[in-house]
Amino acid sequence: KRTDEAFKELQTLLEPLDIKKYYTDDWGAYKRNLPPEQHEVGKTNTQKIERKNLNFRTWIKRLARRTICFSKLESMHDTVIGLLINRVEFGIDIHAYH
């Protein structure tokens, strides 16, 4: 839900990531709760982020559809997402370590 309380919960979850800049839409909670020097409204800098999100969703469809590789275990989903992020963001391929 797009409430100030929901945003504050999200902000608390993001604190350990030490985010320097937020690129958002024009939702009022952002203006009320983010320092102006850290907040920019608009889509100018979000294209790469949205493309990466689309790639992740495409690569890990197994999390959304019940296919032969679908798992009900949350720990398995966390593992698959972690491996994908390590591969894409850091170039770490677990298959290279035989």
Side-chain angles (χ1 to χ4, degrees):
K1 296 182 179 182
R2 290 177 67 98
T3 64
D4 280 41
E5 292 77 27
F7 174 70
K8 288 177 183 178
E9 286 179 32
L10 175 61
Q11 195 173 23
T12 301
L13 291 172
L14 295 173
E15 276 178 16
L17 301 176
D18 195 31
I19 296 171
K20 304 289 185 211
K21 192 79 170 174
Y22 294 85
Y23 300 98
T24 71
D25 60 15
D26 201 22
W27 179 37
Y30 298 131
K31 289 179 184 177
R32 290 188 292 275
N33 295 290
L34 290 173
E37 64 275 3
Q38 281 189 298
H39 182 222
E40 188 172 320
V41 176
K43 295 186 177 190
T44 306
N45 294 299
T46 60
Q47 186 176 8
K48 287 181 187 176
I49 295 167
E50 291 303 324
R51 180 68 220 180
K52 190 176 286 188
N53 290 343
L54 176 61
N55 286 344
F56 281 143
R57 284 195 308 273
T58 302
W59 292 332
I60 54 176
K61 282 187 179 190
R62 65 182 283 168
L63 300 178
R65 288 188 317 184
R66 295 201 177 238
T67 64
I68 196 166
C69 15
F70 183 83
S71 174
K72 292 181 181 177
L73 297 175
E74 186 176 339
S75 61
M76 193 60 155
H77 292 285
D78 291 344
T79 300
V80 169
I81 292 168
L83 290 171
L84 178 63
I85 290 171
N86 280 329
R87 175 74 173 124
V88 172
E89 294 297 321
F90 307 110
I92 300 171
D93 185 359
I94 61 153
H95 297 102
Y97 303 103
H98 293 286

